[in-house]
Amino acid sequence: MALALRCLRPLPSLLQRSSFAVTRGLPRAPRGCPAPLLEGCGQCAQQMLLSRQLATKKAKGKGQSQAKVNISAALVEDIINLEETSEDMQAVIEALKEDFSRNLNVRTSPGALDHITVMTKDGRFPLNQLGQISQKSPQLMIVNMTNFPESTAAAAKAIRESGMNLNPEVDGTMIRVPVPKVTREHRESLAKLAKQSTNKSKEALRKVRSKSITQVKKFKNKVSEDTIWLLEKQIQQMADEAATEMDKLLAAKTKELLG
């Protein structure tokens, strides 16, 4: 019995050294962390290590999807602002949506003119706030400017310069907008433009990702390799999710354009 007790005595110090080994190199504990432990904290170290284990467990199987990494933004705020990276990526997605809405329409409904903004003496306003837009036939839309007659000329100019290849005709406070017949070739051309626009947006997304990863690598001599690896993986996952959303937008727009 005495021999067994002597063998067990070194265990606490061994466990403490093991804990130090796995936590060494992690970022400093975030502000407000309730339980500082050595260079990090027990809660933060466990979260980082668990993320790494989850990410690598499935990666061992070739061809299998990898588990998602989710690092607390507060834990790495001294290295990179992940929320800002996410916002930059979302801004690229929103720009793509705006481009689809503004420039890629088949012009077969009054809603196709809604995005057009009109410069008036009081500022810029959407066309549908200044005039009543209606469709008289598949080849003719009418914009009734009775409520804001002084903006009729400006509205006609905005329609003409919208990039939609429209040639409005002013008749008093009424704007007649002939709509060219939409051919299959025109629809296919618009679908190709949507694809090109999506590719440009993905290139902008890659620039955001590269900028963020470059920022992380600046700290490679200050934090552990695991921390750098996890951050790079998280940023890549964010970019992949944004690219997937873009693909969904493109699929929906292509379906809309081709009918």
Side-chain angles (χ1 to χ4, degrees):
M1 177 64 73
L3 178 60
L5 290 173
R6 284 197 300 273
C7 291
L8 289 174
R9 265 191 211 113
L11 281 179
S13 60
L14 287 173
L15 290 173
Q16 184 177 12
R17 287 198 295 273
S18 175
S19 173
F20 177 78
V22 299
T23 58
R24 184 177 54 196
L26 290 175
R28 294 189 303 275
R31 289 190 294 271
C33 181
L37 173 64
L38 301 176
E39 296 182 20
C41 71
Q43 181 180 358
C44 298
Q46 183 180 14
Q47 179 180 359
M48 293 288 287
L49 291 171
L50 180 59
S51 296
R52 177 63 186 264
Q53 291 167 359
L54 288 174
T56 56
K57 185 175 181 181
K58 289 191 176 182
K60 292 180 180 179
K62 187 176 180 180
Q64 295 182 4
S65 60
Q66 298 183 9
K68 185 175 181 179
V69 174
N70 188 15
I71 302 173
S72 168
L75 182 62
V76 293
E77 62 182 0
D78 291 336
I79 302 175
I80 189 173
N81 189 331
L82 288 176
E83 293 181 357
E84 184 176 302
T85 298
S86 177
E87 290 172 358
D88 289 344
M89 291 183 177
Q90 189 60 40
V92 176
I93 295 174
E94 293 303 319
L96 179 63
K97 290 180 181 179
E98 181 71 11
D99 184 47
F100 281 178
S101 175
R102 282 183 174 273
N103 304 315
L104 298 173
N105 290 294
V106 292
R107 305 188 303 268
T108 57
S109 67
L113 303 181
D114 286 349
H115 73 278
I116 296 177
T117 57
V118 182
M119 175 59 77
T120 72
K121 63 180 181 180
D122 297 318
R124 286 186 174 273
F125 295 92
L127 179 60
N128 61 0
Q129 289 186 13
L130 300 175
Q132 296 177 341
I133 306 172
S134 59
Q135 186 161 7
K136 294 300 181 181
S137 71
Q139 275 71 53
L140 179 64
M141 285 188 282
I142 300 292
V143 182
N144 186 341
M145 299 293 296
T146 302
N147 292 333
F148 296 92
E150 70 281 3
S151 299
T152 301
K157 180 182 178 182
I159 295 170
R160 188 177 297 108
E161 296 177 355
S162 66
M164 299 174 65
N165 194 29
L166 297 173
N167 188 25
E169 303 168 356
V170 178
D171 182 11
T173 58
M174 306 295 286
I175 303 175
R176 297 165 57 86
V177 186
V179 180
K181 185 177 180 180
V182 180
T183 63
R184 184 66 183 179
E185 289 75 16
H186 180 63
R187 289 177 178 272
E188 291 175 351
S189 176
L190 289 176
K192 289 180 181 179
L193 289 175
K195 177 66 173 177
Q196 293 173 7
S197 183
T198 302
N199 288 338
K200 289 180 180 178
S201 295
K202 286 185 177 181
E203 179 60 31
L205 179 65
R206 284 191 287 270
K207 289 181 180 179
V208 174
R209 180 202 62 192
S210 297
K211 179 182 177 182
S212 298
I213 289 179
T214 298
Q215 172 65 21
V216 168
K217 287 183 176 179
K218 291 179 181 179
F219 290 81
K220 64 181 180 180
N221 295 326
K222 299 180 182 179
V223 298
S224 70
E225 291 182 3
D226 276 1
T227 303
I228 299 296
W229 185 90
L230 283 168
L231 279 171
E232 290 180 356
K233 185 170 181 62
Q234 171 119 350
I235 292 168
Q236 182 61 55
Q237 284 179 174
M238 293 163 65
D240 289 343
E241 289 171 0
T244 298
E245 185 171 350
M246 289 180 183
D247 287 336
K248 291 179 180 178
L249 290 172
L250 174 61
K253 175 55 70 171
T254 301
K255 183 177 179 180
E256 172 194 325
L257 293 172
L258 296 181

